[in-house]
């Protein structure tokens, strides 16, 4: 199979970590007989330096003409970088919002998996960490409270601020379909999170999700109120497989879920539209404090490349081979400096970004 991938290395550690992910993809291509074609484009601070804007039409066109986009991270030090003296619409992050909009990426997938080898980094009680967890938060990304009408005005002598939370049936249906499709590739369970005891938008959400569920009799559906979900995530995270939720709830719950893994450098993400196209990137930022030192952890980006193979190319075995290789390097004691800090005991080897990429490449095998 020929895979046409646009890469946006971005700023800070972005170029270093994307280079490792490409190395791993090249090895997968060699082992499984695929052909990778990459096109690198600029976005974020580096695009401001080159073209005066964080996102150019050329970058949007390159993304649209690819089967998938693999991204590093964009942005600089928000206190010292000259990029942050520009008005907000010209700063690096505006590029990110712009490309998500241009590509209609309405579904955000954030897996949170606790590697047994890294369970010491988990801030939960030992019994919860010992059971492990492997969940995926499916967050609606382009509707709800963050995109509703908002205004502030004076009423009866005081200021009143209003934000509106709007969802159309069609917006709920398309994200619910994504959640059930993804659940079919996992443990076939969806927990839909809402606030249906209070909000009309949540009651519509529940109704539409139940309608969609009828087309997926092999996947179980449960509903959970968002306040309960926030508690259950720290009490018993092993109960979750796919968590389907609207934009604001997903914003909060996905950060909570990533926090309990304890390792920012390990968390991939995907943003999808209603085709197989997706944009894949680590959940962390551009870490300008460690850029260019060859110490960044490339695993979140490498796992994002695995998600790309799974969700945009339907290459499950190839994705498994990457995830397997990551588990293997951790088992074999390889740690980047961020992981070293939480790895207690003997038998660990501290490696840099490139060496971690090489160690993963060496462990890619035909499963
Ligand atoms: P950050 O995630 O870049 O860094 C937070 C801390 O985690 C830092 O100490 C950093 O060194 C460390 N860290 C992050 N990724 C790491 C990795 N792979 N390996 C080892 N250590 C890692 O968050 P921040 O410092 O708040 O933001 C820095 C810049 O990134 C800002 O400009 C911000 O706007 C941008 N940002 C971009 C994205 C994106 O592109 N999607 C997301 C978040 C932040």
């Amino acid at each position: 199979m020929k895979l046409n991938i646009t890469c946006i290395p971005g700023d800070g550690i972005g170029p270093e970590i994307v280079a490792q992910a490409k190395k791993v993809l090249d090895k997968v291509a060699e082992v499984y007989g695929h052909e990778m074609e990459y096109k690198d484009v600029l976005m974020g601070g580096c695009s401001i330096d080159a073209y005066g804007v964080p996102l150019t039409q050329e970058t949007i066109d390159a993304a649209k003409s690819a089967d998938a986009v693999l991204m590093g991270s964009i942005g600089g030090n928000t206190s010292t970088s000259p990029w942050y003296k520009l008005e907000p619409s010209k700063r690096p992050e505006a590029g990110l919002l712009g490309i998500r909009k241009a590509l209609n990426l309405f579904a955000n997938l954030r897996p949170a998996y606790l590697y047994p080898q890294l369970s010491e980094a988990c801030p939960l009680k030992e019994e919860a960490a010992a059971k492990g967890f492997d969940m995926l938060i499916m967050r609606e990304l382009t509707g709800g409270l963050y995109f509703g009408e908002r205004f502030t005005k004076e009423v009866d002598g005081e200021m009143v601020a209003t934000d509106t939370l709007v969802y159309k049936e069609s917006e709920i249906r398309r994200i619910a379909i994504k959640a059930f499709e993804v659940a079919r590739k996992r443990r076939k369970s969806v927990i839909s999170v809402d606030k249906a005891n209070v909000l009309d938008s949540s009651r519509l959400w529940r109704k539409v999700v139940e309608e969609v569920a009828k087309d997926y009799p092999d996947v179980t559906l449960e509903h959970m109120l968002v306040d309960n979900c926030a508690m259950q995530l720290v009490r018993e995270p092993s109960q979750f497989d796919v968590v389907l939720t609207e934009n604001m709830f997903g914003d909060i719950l996905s950060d909570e879920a990533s926090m309990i893994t304890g390792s920012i450098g390990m968390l991939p993400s995907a943003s999808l539209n209603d085709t197989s196209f997706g944009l894949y990137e680590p959940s962390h930022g551009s870490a300008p404090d460690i850029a260019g030192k060859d110490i960044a952890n490339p695993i979140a980006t490498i796992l994002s490349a695995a998600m790309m193979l799974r969700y945009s190319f339907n290459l499950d075995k190839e994705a498994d081979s990457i995830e397997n290789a990551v588990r293997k390097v951790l088992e074999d004691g390889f740690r980047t400096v961020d992981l070293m800090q939480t790895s207690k005991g003997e038998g660990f080897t501290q490696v840099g970004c490139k060496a971690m990429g090489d160690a993963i490449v060496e462990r890619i095998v035909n499963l």
Side-chain angles (χ1 to χ4, degrees), residues 209-247:
V209 171
E210 278 174 5
E211 283 167 16
V212 172
K214 289 188 186 127
D215 294 331
Y216 298 85
D218 53 324
V219 178
T220 61
L221 168 67
E222 279 176 63
H223 301 282
M224 191 178 275
L225 295 175
V226 62
D227 38 351
N228 184 27
C229 182
M231 289 194 292
Q232 295 299 330
L233 277 174
V234 290
R235 197 187 70 87
E236 181 81 61
S238 61
Q239 68 188 287
F240 296 103
D241 179 13
V242 175
V243 177
L244 163 65
T245 192
E246 59 94 72
N247 202 345

Side-chain angles (χ1 to χ4, degrees), residues 2-16:
K2 187 165 175 188
L3 290 76
N4 175 12
I5 301 162
T6 287
C7 294
I8 302 178
D11 307 312
I13 59 171
E16 303 166 52

Side-chain angles (χ1 to χ4, degrees), residues 3-183:
L3 290 76
N4 175 12
I5 301 162
T6 287
C7 294
I8 302 178
D11 307 312
I13 59 171
E16 303 166 52
I17 54 183
V18 168
Q20 306 316 308
K22 278 185 181 171
K23 237 162 51 179
V24 171
L25 284 170
D26 287 340
K27 180 65 190 250
V28 169
E30 183 194 314
V31 169
Y32 286 90
H34 301 298
E35 196 186 328
M36 301 286 170
E37 194 170 294
Y38 307 108
K39 179 177 168 72
D40 281 8
V41 289
L42 301 182
M43 194 177 96
C46 53
S47 174
I48 297 174
D49 291 344
Y51 306 116
V53 287
L55 176 64
T56 60
Q57 191 58 43
E58 191 204 340
T59 292
I60 295 175
D61 292 343
K64 282 187 173 167
S65 67
D67 301 318
V69 174
L70 180 65
M71 203 174 103
S73 194
I74 53 117
N77 183 317
T78 50
S79 320
T80 57
S81 164
W83 299 329
Y84 296 92
K85 296 206 167 68
L86 301 167
E87 62 168 271
S89 68
K90 299 213 166 86
R91 291 180 191 170
E93 287 71 14
L96 199 55
L97 297 178
I99 200 157
R100 283 181 183 153
K101 196 165 166 213
L103 301 173
N104 191 25
L105 302 171
F106 64 83
N108 182 239
L109 285 65
R110 289 221 345 222
Y113 173 67
L114 183 65
Y115 286 86
Q117 301 83 2
L118 301 179
S119 64
E120 280 169 350
C122 174
L124 300 182
K125 280 193 171 164
E126 240 176 80
E127 348 30 306
K131 276 193 191 168
F133 53 85
D134 177 4
M135 73 183 93
L136 184 146
I137 310 268
M138 170 76 74
R139 165 188 171 193
E140 202 290 327
L141 205 56
T142 56
L145 198 63
Y146 300 165
F147 290 86
E149 198 190 342
R150 67 176 67 98
F151 52 90
T152 305
K153 65 176 182 183
E154 196 176 320
V155 180
D156 297 335
E158 63 178 335
M159 298 310 287
V160 178
T162 305
D163 296 286
T164 49
L165 199 178
V166 181
Y167 267 109
K168 291 191 235 167
E169 274 184 281
S170 53
E171 290 174 309
I172 304 169
R173 184 162 287 109
R174 64 183 186 177
I175 183 91
I177 290 171
K178 282 276 178 213
F180 282 94
E181 291 289 336
V182 165

Side-chain angles (χ1 to χ4, degrees), residues 13 17 43 71-78 83-84 92-93 96 100 264-266 281-291 295-301 336-339:
I13 59 171
I17 54 183
M43 194 177 96
M71 203 174 103
S73 194
I74 53 117
N77 183 317
T78 50
W83 299 329
Y84 296 92
E93 287 71 14
L96 199 55
R100 283 181 183 153
I264 192 171
M266 302 289 296
E281 58 176 321
S283 295
H284 58 73
S286 60
D289 51 333
I290 57 167
I295 56 170
N297 183 349
I299 294 180
T301 316
T336 42
V337 64
D338 54 313
L339 300 178

